[in-house]
Amino acid sequence: MGFRRSSWLIAIVSLLCVDVAQARGPWRASEGNTTGWHLMTPEERVAHQARIRGFTNYEACHAYQQEHHQLMVARASEKGLAAPVGRRDFCDHLKQPAPWR
């Protein structure tokens, strides 16, 4: 009886762990990680997220990031709001490691 109970417990814990890992999923743009979130339409937010996920090199991603930030600064200025503060570098994961590593 003890073996069967522990087998079920292991199975349940394993399923819960898989569920938690899948819940993390790919990066999602949100108010907490996107400069100017409140200045974007829902459609722009979806397009922004999709564009970020599509980058494969740092230079192109970083250029888009700078362009996006400037656009959000301009929108904030038009509305008389403070310029949005930059967030983390969402392109950082695309940087190539140093060759000596």
Side-chain angles (χ1 to χ4, degrees):
M1 177 101 163
F3 177 73
R4 184 177 286 186
R5 184 173 289 166
S6 62
S7 295
W8 276 103
L9 182 60
I10 291 170
I12 290 170
V13 169
S14 297
L15 287 173
L16 289 174
C17 290
V18 169
D19 225 16
V20 169
Q22 289 175 348
R24 292 184 65 188
W27 180 84
R28 293 192 186 279
S30 71
E31 186 173 5
N33 67 13
T34 303
T35 301
W37 177 263
H38 62 287
L39 299 167
M40 299 166 70
T41 66
E43 295 80 14
E44 287 174 320
R45 293 172 186 160
V46 170
H48 175 71
Q49 179 173 278
R51 185 136 185 222
I52 290 169
R53 287 182 181 174
F55 285 112
T56 57
N57 76 33
Y58 179 80
E59 291 75 22
C61 183
H62 187 70
Y64 171 75
Q65 184 180 39
Q66 297 300 313
E67 177 185 315
H68 173 75
H69 182 75
Q70 290 305 315
L71 177 62
M72 294 302 109
V73 167
R75 285 187 185 179
S77 178
E78 289 170 4
K79 295 179 183 244
L81 301 171
V85 179
R87 308 280 182 175
R88 70 174 181 84
D89 183 358
F90 58 73
C91 304
D92 197 43
H93 70 282
L94 296 169
K95 287 182 180 176
Q96 295 296 321
W100 59 83
R101 287 186 185 169

